[in-house]
Amino acid sequence: MHARVVAATTAALLGAMTLSPASQVRAAGAARQPVIVAHRGASAYAPENTLPAIDKAAELGFRWVENDVQRTKDGELVVLHDDSLRRTTDAARVFPDRAPWKVKDFTAAEIARLDAGSWFSPTYAGTRVPTLEQYMRRVERDRESLLLEVKNPELYPGIEQQTLKVLGEEGWLDHRHLAGRLIVQSFSAASVRTVHDLAPAVTTALLGRPDTADLDRYAGFTDSINPSYGTLDADYVSAVHALTGPHGDPVKVFTWTVDDAVRARTAAGYGVDGLITDRPDVVRAALEGP
Ligand code: G3P
Ligand code: CA
C-alpha cells in the first residue's frame, strides 16, 4: 500500500515536471477550489450592498461577501456601489431637486430615509442603505468574512484611515479577523498602498489588471491582484502567483464577475484563488458538478 502511494506521488510529480508553468498552475488549481465571494452580497437574489444581501449569502451557505464603502456629506461611511444614490434607492423621488443625487452631497440622516430595496423587488421595500458600522455588525452576526472595497477613494480624502478606524472599533483588526476574515481592496493603487502603510497586517488587494511587466511594483503592498474575468488568462495567473506579497505568500488572484458555469470552470482552470460572483450558488454547483 505504502509503495503504491509513493509510486503514485512520484508519477504525479514527474507529470507535473513536464507541464508548462501555466499548466502547473491549472493542475494546482484543480486540486485547490477557489474561494467563492458573494459580490455586493448575494446580489442576484437580494438588493446589492444591503443587509438582506449578506443574510442571503449566509443562508445559501457562503462565507465571503464583498461590498463597496463610500462617505456621506457629514462624514459617515455607508455601503453603496454607485457614486450616485439614483439607481439603487428612491432618492430621485424623495429629493427631486437634488440631482444628480451624489452620495457625498447627502447627509447620513437623509440617506437613512431612503428605500434601497424596492428598486430590486417589492419584497425588499423599506430596506435601508447600511452604514459601515451596521454592515460590520451584521457580517459578524452572520459569521461571514469580508472583501471590503474602498470605492471612489479620490472623492473621499482620508477614507482609508476612517475605514480602518471603524474596522478597529468593530473588532475587525484583531488577530482572529486579520487571519483570514478580512481583505481590503480598491481600484486605486494609491489607496491600497495607503491601507497597507496605515495597517500593514491587513490583507489587501488591487482591482484591475496591471501589465505583467509592472506587477512587481505592486507586490510590496498588495496580497492579491483582482482582474475582471475578461482580462484574464492562465499565463497572467501564473505571473501573479510568481510574486511574493507583503506577507511572504504568493500574490493571489480573485476575478470578477463570474456568474455562469462556463466562466466559473474556465477561471478555476486558470488556477485563480477566488471567484467573485452575484450568483454564488451557480458557481458552487459548477465547481462541484460533473
Ligand atoms: O470585487 C470586484 C468588483 O466589485 C469590482 O467591480 O464595479 O462591482 O465594484 P465593482
Ligand atoms: Ca465592488
Side-chain angles (χ1 to χ4, degrees):
M1 182 62 136
H2 177 69
R4 275 210 302 278
V5 171
V6 171
T9 306
T10 306
L13 285 171
L14 287 171
M17 286 169 65
T18 65
L19 296 174
S20 69
S23 300
Q24 288 182 42
V25 166
R26 281 194 291 277
R32 190 188 61 237
Q33 202 81 303
V35 171
I36 299 173
V37 182
H39 182 232
R40 311 180 196 172
S43 58
Y45 311 118
E48 63 182 57
N49 277 326
T50 65
L51 302 186
I54 51 178
D55 290 349
K56 187 68 186 175
E59 188 187 313
L60 291 169
F62 293 94
R63 185 174 149 231
W64 277 90
V65 294
E66 189 260 5
N67 74 358
D68 303 281
V69 175
Q70 301 190 73
R71 189 162 70 203
T72 67
K73 185 178 179 181
D74 54 344
E76 182 88 44
L77 296 181
V78 290
V79 177
L80 195 98
H81 180 270
D82 300 1
D83 67 356
S84 165
L85 296 156
R86 181 164 196 176
R87 180 177 62 88
T88 58
T89 77
D90 58 351
R93 185 185 64 76
V94 178
F95 300 106
D97 303 326
R98 303 272 296 274
W101 301 282
K102 296 287 185 187
V103 176
K104 67 181 178 52
D105 296 333
F106 285 77
T107 65
E110 287 170 337
I111 291 176
R113 289 173 53 195
L114 301 176
D115 181 336
S118 291
W119 70 275
F120 185 86
S121 156
T123 310
Y124 294 101
T127 298
R128 301 300 170 195
V129 174
T131 64
L132 180 59
E133 182 181 293
Q134 291 166 341
Y135 189 95
M136 295 314 302
R137 290 178 184 180
R138 186 63 68 96
V139 174
E140 186 69 44
R141 190 203 75 173
D142 288 348
R143 299 174 194 276
E144 291 169 313
S145 300
L146 178 61
L147 175 56
L148 182 155
E149 181 178 345
V150 180
K151 182 59 95 184
N152 305 317
E154 62 285 354
L155 297 178
Y156 312 110
I159 191 171
E160 298 83 6
Q161 184 156 27
Q162 193 180 355
T163 299
L164 291 167
K165 182 166 180 283
V166 172
L167 290 171
E169 287 166 355
E170 293 304 313
W172 276 69
L173 297 184
D174 65 2
H175 178 71
R176 205 164 50 86
H177 289 83
L178 291 174
R181 286 189 65 190
L182 177 68
I183 303 170
V184 177
Q185 67 173 357
S186 181
F187 280 103
S188 160
S191 187
V192 177
R193 185 194 287 271
T194 299
V195 170
H196 177 72
D197 289 347
L198 290 169
V202 170
T203 302
T204 57
L206 175 64
L207 284 158
R209 186 197 184 281
D211 285 346
T212 307
D214 297 333
L215 280 172
D216 58 355
R217 287 190 206 163
Y218 303 98
F221 60 89
T222 185
D223 298 278
S224 184
I225 300 284
N226 295 354
S228 67
Y229 173 83
T231 66
L232 194 62
D233 59 32
D235 289 332
Y236 192 77
V237 175
S238 292
V240 175
H241 282 164
L243 299 165
T244 299
H247 297 103
D249 298 318
V251 176
K252 293 189 165 69
V253 178
F254 283 46
T255 189
W256 47 277
T257 307
V258 174
D259 287 345
D260 62 63
V262 171
R263 286 178 172 219
R265 290 191 189 119
T266 303
Y270 294 160
V272 301
D273 305 279
L275 296 169
I276 302 169
T277 172
D278 299 346
R279 300 177 183 276
D281 52 338
V282 171
V283 170
R284 178 173 57 198
L287 298 184
E288 287 174 353

